[in-house]
Amino acid sequence: MRWVLLGIAASIFIANTECFAAEIPPTIRAGEIAIEIAATGASMAPADRATVTLNLRKSGPTNAEARANVRALADQLTTELVALGLPRQSIDLEEPTNRFGFIDNEAASAAILEDIGQVAPTVKRPVSASASLELTITDLAFLPKLRGLIDQRDAVVMQNPAFSLINDRQNRNAAIGDAMSKARMDADAYAAALGMKVVRVIGARDQAAQNTFMFPEYDKMIERFTGLSEVKSGLVKTSIRAIVEFALAPR
């Protein structure tokens, strides 16, 4: 037991030592000053993937019939999409898990009463149910075919495609290099204004990786809702935000 306690104490000491070391600021030599530069790097590449959401809505005299109708529409569309050349595994059906989307409060109330086995009052308007098909498309030549199919259908609304890259590693590397280059140019400009020069890089960190915002894909959500994205003429823009710390010394 004594050796176990000694081992635990040693581990805690080492961990505390490592934390302390991580908090030590970069060493600044005599006559030097440190400066932090924030820079955004970007890289463009042709999109090779698109995600498209098809919103479906059907009505029926009851909640159950409305849901059955929208599922039947989803099945029919899926069959047509597969026949058109889209792989079945690239199609996902999503149904709402709550009561949002029904028309009018009276319709929603009727649906709830029906589900719990009670007689629903007379509903003035049909009950409406919704679902969506999310399509992942890796052959972008399929998009015009999809538009042609949807333009002939009722009860289906096609959202703007969300373009992306299947693998953005090369694009991210290029964006990182771009950010580092911009940060260095800014550092040189600040150094010149101070009558100094950049002597070395003493630290760098990814600004997005330290973001504590609850929704890291918030910008992508905005793109989907507004139809605005970083895709221009079929190109996807990959951006990174970095903070680089430089040491400046007298000339």
Side-chain angles (χ1 to χ4, degrees):
M1 177 62 75
R2 181 178 65 181
W3 294 112
V4 172
L5 292 175
L6 287 174
I8 293 173
S11 298
I12 293 173
F13 175 76
I14 293 172
N16 287 339
T17 301
E18 291 175 349
C19 292
F20 177 74
E23 294 174 357
I24 296 176
T27 302
I28 298 297
R29 298 167 187 165
E32 293 181 347
I33 63 171
I35 183 172
E36 281 191 349
I37 303 292
T40 298
S43 179
M44 305 288 284
D48 55 13
R49 178 173 57 191
T51 302
V52 179
T53 299
L54 304 179
N55 295 317
L56 320 178
R57 182 178 291 276
K58 294 292 285 185
S59 299
T62 66
N63 177 44
E65 289 177 274
R67 286 197 303 241
N69 288 340
V70 81
R71 286 172 186 159
L73 175 59
D75 290 341
Q76 182 181 358
L77 267 178
T78 297
T79 300
E80 293 178 1
L81 289 167
V82 171
L84 204 60
L86 186 65
R88 177 64 184 83
Q89 62 269 25
S90 298
I91 307 172
D92 289 323
L93 172 64
E94 297 182 357
E95 295 183 278
T97 56
N98 52 41
R99 292 293 174 187
F100 293 108
F102 289 97
I103 299 175
D104 295 338
N105 293 335
E106 55 195 287
S109 300
I112 294 171
L113 289 173
E114 180 188 349
D115 282 350
I116 62 177
Q118 296 185 17
V119 177
T122 302
V123 180
K124 296 179 181 179
R125 295 178 182 146
V127 178
S128 177
S130 62
S132 63
L133 290 176
E134 185 170 290
L135 317 180
T136 302
I137 301 168
T138 54
D139 178 7
L140 301 189
F142 183 80
L143 287 174
K145 300 179 185 178
L146 174 62
R147 174 57 71 184
L149 174 66
I150 300 306
D151 284 347
Q152 301 175 23
R153 302 304 303 265
D154 295 326
V156 181
V157 176
M158 176 176 164
Q159 292 185 7
N160 291 322
F163 294 96
S164 61
L165 298 172
I166 296 174
N167 184 351
D168 69 346
R169 184 67 266 169
Q170 184 175 353
N171 238 30
R172 282 189 59 81
N173 289 346
I176 290 170
D178 184 44
M180 295 299 105
S181 176
K182 290 176 179 176
R184 177 57 192 255
M185 287 189 291
D186 282 352
D188 286 336
Y190 277 106
L194 294 171
M196 306 180 78
K197 62 181 179 180
V198 176
V199 291
R200 67 185 186 282
V201 175
I202 55 178
R205 60 185 184 272
D206 188 301
Q207 195 171 13
Q210 298 185 344
N211 189 359
T212 57
F213 189 58
M214 184 179 296
F215 302 104
E217 298 296 324
Y218 179 76
D219 54 340
K220 299 301 180 185
M221 293 169 57
I222 293 298
E223 288 179 7
R224 296 296 298 274
F225 279 112
T226 63
L228 302 175
S229 71
E230 294 189 322
V231 180
K232 304 297 181 184
S233 302
L235 297 178
V236 176
K237 181 180 179 182
T238 300
S239 301
I240 69 100
R241 296 182 297 276
I243 297 178
V244 188
E245 191 169 6
F246 298 90
L248 309 184
R251 290 184 181 277

